[in-house]
Amino acid sequence: MSDWDGWSGEQDQRGRRDDGYGRGSGQAEPEGARRMRHVQRPGPGPQASRQPQQPPQPQQPPRRPAQPPAGPAYVPPQQGGSYDNGSGSGSYDSGYNTGQVYGGGQPPSGPRGRGPGGPGGPVRPAGPAPDWRKRIKIGSIVLVGGLLVTGIGTYFWADSNVRREVDLSKVIERPKEGDCTTYLIVGSDSREGMSAEDKKKLHTGSAEGKRTDSMMILAKCSSGNTMISLPRDSDVEIPSFVGSESGKKFAGQGRRVKLNAAYAEDGPELLVRTVEFNTGLRIDHYAEIGFAGFANIVDALGGVELNIEKGFKDEKSGADFKEGTQTLNGEQSLAYVRTRYAFAESDLQRTKNQQKFLSALASQAATPTTILNPFALYPVLGAGLDTLIVDKDMGLWDMGSMFFAMKGISGGDGVSMNMPISGQRGGNLVWDKAKVQQLVQQIQKDEKVTVRGN
């Protein structure tokens, strides 16, 4: 006997009789077959209707099965309003229910789920809810740790690739140290690492060796930073010096030359010696970059935004600029800082343009998005390391300080100027000795610079 047979045609324990229409029905008389979309059960089929009715059985307490058998899948009604009962006859299902209660309302919660649906409803895995704060914290630690490891790796990689080729210990008779940190920054016309196509594209020519194309002193002081351009046509005296290669001492003969001649004669060491002798200011660090490295750094940054106050052209440098704010790529940037024949002030105007551009370059390079992001810093460093030459005591920290000092000048924290000029001698620019002396004293004592150049 089926577990459900005790419900048909018998009285329950309270004396109420079940007419066989289902305990969930609230009707006195049957309505006939009703559509109940949440109930699917097989129909009796045509043969079942001809079977004799079973005699009444003794009443037993109803027992709910642990898990009612699942009926066939629900099939939408066919034409004529019939349901498919799984036998293909198309008749209405008139069997007993499988455990779900007829009528409206929500079914009770099942033992395996927390919401409606009972055994057939959604099942949530047992256990506590995820701690998202903890997950986010762990994820952040992993991310920061990864960036830190990458950053440290990038630092040591870059530091090992810096070309520390200038030995300032070979410079003799040096001035006393001041309170500020001073850098001699040189842009050379070195074509090292450039192909014939690069030379043509960048309008550099094919001259052998290298010469200084720009020179400037950067004084990093607590009272404010100062950038001083040294025109390459400056009239200076070559002092006594020790040869950087031979180690032989050469006595001073009072020769007066253009400043860039000192570099051409014996390289960076003699240039530092000449600047120190003619200014009285001690140089702490030396940094030099060639044409190719300069252009590559600009391109690695995605260009440098610059406001050009007045447009100009120059066939020799390849410059062709219109007035207004624009973003310069590496080729355009090199043309901008090298142009001098397009200006009435020639080299003096060029040095002003160089200062302006370097400040803008540093302002865009020395940003948290570049410095703190190894994936942005790596291409920038890699672009300039091949042609960047520094002194033996200069580390990446010193280079970073140099860039941030230049950035501070562009942001108004300091001044930029040309070396004060008093006149000319044989086509060379003569420095104003009184102003130069005052300027040097203010830098040495870390005082606010009040001297202004040309």
Side-chain angles (χ1 to χ4, degrees):
M1 180 178 62
S2 171
D3 292 336
W4 302 93
D5 288 342
W7 291 95
S8 50
E10 297 292 335
Q11 292 182 349
D12 59 14
Q13 295 177 355
R14 299 180 181 179
R16 293 177 300 182
R17 184 174 183 82
D18 185 353
D19 294 319
Y21 299 116
R23 295 184 62 84
S25 175
Q27 302 292 337
E29 297 294 337
E31 294 177 337
R34 296 167 57 190
R35 295 187 185 181
M36 301 177 184
R37 297 181 181 273
H38 65 290
V39 177
Q40 301 98 26
R41 53 190 178 274
Q47 298 296 329
S49 61
R50 294 194 292 268
Q51 296 294 330
Q53 187 174 359
Q54 295 292 333
Q57 300 294 331
Q59 184 168 345
Q60 298 179 1
R63 293 181 299 163
R64 187 182 183 91
Q67 184 173 350
Y74 166 72
V75 180
Q78 308 296 322
Q79 291 183 356
S82 298
Y83 283 94
D84 188 352
N85 63 6
S87 64
S89 64
S91 62
Y92 286 102
D93 182 357
S94 59
Y96 293 110
N97 70 53
T98 58
Q100 294 187 4
V101 180
Y102 291 174
Q106 293 292 338
S109 298
R112 292 165 53 195
R114 297 186 179 181
V123 178
R124 175 178 291 177
D131 188 346
W132 289 107
R133 283 188 179 180
K134 184 176 181 181
R135 293 187 180 186
I136 293 174
K137 182 178 180 180
I138 294 175
S140 300
I141 292 174
V142 172
L143 177 62
V144 172
L147 291 176
L148 184 61
V149 170
T150 304
I152 293 174
T154 300
Y155 179 91
F156 282 105
W157 167 83
D159 189 70
S160 65
N161 283 275
V162 173
R163 297 173 58 180
R164 297 182 175 89
E165 301 176 3
V166 179
D167 189 357
L168 295 183
S169 66
K170 295 180 179 179
V171 180
I172 62 174
E173 303 174 14
R174 309 196 67 184
K176 66 178 181 179
E177 293 186 2
D179 295 331
C180 299
T181 302
T182 56
Y183 301 83
L184 180 60
I185 303 171
V186 175
S188 75
D189 63 0
S190 171
R191 285 109 176 138
E192 183 180 357
M194 296 176 64
S195 64
E197 183 179 351
D198 292 334
K199 295 175 183 177
K200 182 178 179 181
K201 177 182 177 182
L202 299 176
H203 300 270
T204 63
S206 300
E208 297 297 328
K210 59 181 181 179
R211 286 152 293 279
T212 54
D213 204 63
S214 62
M215 294 164 284
M216 59 187 68
I217 295 172
L218 174 65
K220 183 178 180 297
C221 309
S222 60
S223 59
N225 304 318
T226 304
M227 184 181 290
I228 309 162
S229 287
L230 309 175
R232 68 179 191 173
D233 292 341
S234 298
D235 185 81
V236 295
E237 179 182 341
I238 298 292
S240 59
F241 67 96
V242 173
S244 59
E245 296 294 336
S246 66
K248 179 180 178 181
K249 185 174 182 178
F250 296 88
Q253 301 175 354
R255 291 185 295 126
R256 303 201 70 85
V257 298
K258 292 182 178 181
L259 181 58
N260 63 344
Y263 182 95
E265 187 172 333
D266 197 46
E269 287 85 0
L270 180 55
L271 178 61
V272 171
R273 167 70 174 138
T274 303
V275 169
E276 289 187 343
F277 177 81
N278 286 269
T279 63
L281 183 67
R282 185 184 180 96
I283 301 300
D284 297 312
H285 292 294
Y286 176 92
E288 173 189 327
I289 191 166
F291 284 160
F294 180 83
N296 290 341
I297 288 176
V298 173
D299 286 334
L301 284 171
V304 173
E305 186 176 287
L306 196 70
N307 179 32
I308 299 178
E309 298 176 356
K310 185 178 181 180
F312 60 89
K313 289 185 178 182
D314 180 37
E315 292 183 1
K316 291 190 175 182
S317 67
D320 185 4
F321 298 105
K322 296 181 180 180
E323 179 181 339
T325 300
Q326 51 208 283
T327 299
L328 309 186
N329 59 26
E331 178 184 350
Q332 294 170 323
S333 300
L334 191 58
Y336 180 82
V337 300
R338 295 185 62 221
T339 299
R340 65 170 178 167
Y341 295 106
F343 310 121
E345 293 181 287
S346 187
D347 204 35
L348 292 177
Q349 181 60 46
R350 181 174 73 158
T351 56
K352 293 178 182 178
N353 288 346
Q354 290 170 349
Q355 290 179 349
K356 180 178 180 179
F357 183 85
L358 285 179
S359 295
L361 172 65
S363 180
Q364 295 178 48
T367 59
T369 55
T370 301
I371 300 298
L372 300 179
N373 183 0
F375 302 103
L377 182 62
Y378 181 88
V380 175
L381 291 176
L385 287 177
D386 290 342
T387 61
L388 180 64
I389 299 173
V390 299
D391 66 90
K392 294 183 179 295
D393 296 326
M394 191 170 184
L396 288 181
W397 181 265
D398 300 305
M399 284 185 261
S401 297
M402 180 181 70
F403 269 96
F404 275 102
M406 288 191 290
K407 178 182 179 181
I409 291 175
S410 66
D413 182 19
V415 296
S416 60
M417 68 178 79
N418 278 317
M419 185 65 81
I421 303 297
S422 61
Q424 293 189 10
R425 180 188 295 122
N428 296 349
L429 299 174
V430 179
W431 293 351
D432 188 322
K433 291 184 178 181
K435 287 186 176 182
V436 170
Q437 185 177 12
Q438 182 184 2
L439 174 62
V440 170
Q441 288 178 350
Q442 289 176 341
I443 292 174
Q444 286 177 331
K445 296 179 180 179
D446 195 358
E447 298 175 351
K448 184 175 180 62
V449 171
T450 59
V451 178
R452 293 296 179 267
N454 300 75

